[in-house]
Amino acid sequence: MIKKGFTKLGILILYLISLLPFWFLYILSDIAFVIIYYVVHYRRDVVQQNLRNSFPEKTDQERHDIERKYYRYLADLIVETIKMITVSEKQIRKRVVATNSDLVFEYFAKGKSIIAVAGHYCNWEMAALNFNFVTDKRFMIIYKNLSNKTFDDFFIKIRSRFGGQPVAMKQTLRKMIEYRKELTVSVLVGDQTPVMHEVNYFTNFLNQPTAVFLGIEKIAKTIDAAVVFYDMKRVKRGYYEYTLIPLTETPKETAEHEITDMHVKYLEGMIRGEPQYWLWSHRRWKFKPEDLHR
């Protein structure tokens, strides 16, 4: 009961913070960066290990520079996520721009539903909110359940603010089949870490064998949907743009694992270009290929 009450109090505090203007939130972000990086040392060991493994060709100083820039951006990402609780449609349209939204209508004209693959890169959540304004078709945001139900419900409300339909990852295929006679857009994050019993494929990602979900590929082939990738860029503080990169509109003609390797490779290219905007504090490499044989 105490834990539940504290959670609700925490949500109320976040709501009140979200009412603050962006310029003030970025002052809070500057303060949060100092606390997270220099005082709390939030997961710095995880970030440093991930950077060493991913960029062995870089010097210690180069990796240190990426680490520091990452934590500066992480603080911005935190306040921007809080702002999403009450952010207006006008602000979302102003701060996130789709550069080639016509591609969506080209696929619809061909009778193709769309699976849009994102990574934990830049503000992927804000981009998903913006995508609501690109299409008037059913728009599904696939998410991984949080262990705390109160916060899970809370984020579901945020993701559905502008008409999006949040769908739990375990229900994805069932929902896709249910709406197979409609033209739909579904957003999935392609760099989630699968649980051990779901690990059955490793690909090379950032210089190391990486367990990946095959769900995107499986769903695309099941409903014959076009697959695109969110190429996100941070234009300046608080402003983003994304371009939809076509991966395939004939998924049933692709080889096994081909779609998976394509979206993983594209994400890696974005990360290598501007690595500070990826979620380095995530424990991404929990499993090794040898774990499959234990």
Side-chain angles (χ1 to χ4, degrees):
M1 179 68 73
I2 294 175
K3 184 177 180 181
K4 185 176 181 181
F6 179 79
T7 301
K8 289 183 176 179
L9 175 60
I11 288 173
L12 174 60
I13 293 171
L14 293 179
Y15 174 81
L16 294 175
I17 294 173
S18 76
L19 297 174
L20 297 169
F22 271 100
W23 66 265
F24 191 86
L25 287 174
Y26 287 125
I27 293 175
L28 296 182
S29 172
D30 292 339
I31 297 170
F33 161 67
V34 174
I35 296 171
I36 293 170
Y37 188 68
Y38 291 106
V39 180
V40 179
H41 290 188
Y42 173 70
R43 290 193 175 184
R44 283 186 63 177
D45 56 336
V46 174
V47 172
Q48 291 166 2
Q49 183 65 52
N50 285 342
L51 289 173
R52 279 195 299 270
N53 291 342
S54 298
F55 302 120
E57 75 283 1
K58 293 186 182 295
T59 65
D60 289 343
Q61 184 59 51
E62 287 173 328
R63 288 192 291 266
H64 175 74
D65 290 343
I66 295 171
E67 175 190 347
R68 196 168 184 278
K69 288 178 181 178
Y70 165 67
Y71 278 98
R72 277 202 170 276
Y73 178 65
L74 180 62
D76 278 3
L77 183 62
I78 290 169
V79 299
E80 289 173 6
T81 301
I82 294 172
K83 185 63 179 178
M84 285 169 54
I85 299 170
T86 56
V87 70
S88 67
E89 177 179 334
K90 181 179 178 181
Q91 284 279 13
I92 289 292
R93 288 181 179 274
K94 176 183 176 182
R95 291 177 174 272
V96 185
V97 175
T99 64
N100 63 336
S101 57
D102 288 348
L103 182 65
V104 173
F105 302 101
E106 291 176 16
Y107 283 134
F108 286 162
K110 297 176 182 179
K112 288 282 187 179
S113 288
I114 299 168
I115 293 177
V117 186
H120 288 100
Y121 189 86
C122 286
N123 195 325
W124 66 92
E125 293 276 11
M126 194 179 288
L129 285 186
N130 175 272
F131 211 147
N132 281 279
F133 313 132
V134 171
T135 174
D136 59 353
K137 306 297 184 183
R138 188 184 299 275
F139 179 72
M140 291 181 281
I141 302 172
I142 313 305
Y143 69 95
K144 193 172 183 179
N145 291 100
L146 300 175
S147 57
N148 185 298
K149 189 177 185 307
T150 302
F151 271 107
D152 195 48
D153 292 342
F154 183 64
F155 277 102
I156 287 173
K157 291 179 180 178
I158 291 176
R159 290 166 178 150
S160 60
R161 285 192 59 216
F162 300 111
Q165 178 181 343
V167 175
M169 190 176 291
K170 292 181 179 179
Q171 300 175 355
T172 305
L173 186 57
R174 182 174 66 82
K175 286 292 183 183
M176 297 287 189
I177 294 173
E178 179 182 343
Y179 302 131
R180 66 187 180 279
K181 294 182 180 179
E182 300 180 30
L183 292 176
T184 61
V185 177
S186 305
V187 174
L188 298 93
V189 177
D191 56 354
Q192 297 272 17
T193 303
V195 294
M196 184 60 205
H197 71 271
E198 294 176 338
V199 176
N200 50 31
Y201 180 64
F202 283 81
T203 190
N204 189 60
F205 174 61
L206 290 173
N207 197 51
Q208 52 210 302
T210 306
V212 292
F213 280 113
L214 296 176
I216 291 168
E217 180 172 314
K218 181 179 179 181
I219 293 166
K221 291 184 176 182
T222 299
I223 66 172
D224 198 28
V227 183
V228 301
F229 190 89
Y230 269 90
D231 185 326
M232 285 202 71
K233 288 181 170 48
R234 192 190 195 204
V235 178
K236 60 181 180 179
R237 199 175 202 183
Y239 291 83
Y240 303 89
E241 66 178 27
Y242 64 93
T243 302
L244 301 175
I245 306 299
L247 297 185
T248 180
E249 61 179 276
T250 55
K252 293 184 177 182
E253 297 177 11
T254 60
E256 185 179 16
H257 305 147
E258 183 178 350
I259 293 173
T260 301
D261 289 338
M262 279 194 292
H263 72 71
V264 169
K265 183 178 179 180
Y266 203 93
L267 175 62
E268 178 172 344
M270 285 199 324
I271 294 170
R272 289 190 178 279
E274 291 186 289
Q276 65 268 32
Y277 299 131
W278 192 57
L279 198 62
W280 291 103
S281 50
H282 177 49
R283 300 180 190 276
R284 183 63 185 86
W285 290 278
K286 296 178 182 178
F287 308 117
K288 304 295 182 185
E290 54 267 27
D291 294 333
L292 296 181
H293 307 293
R294 290 179 181 176

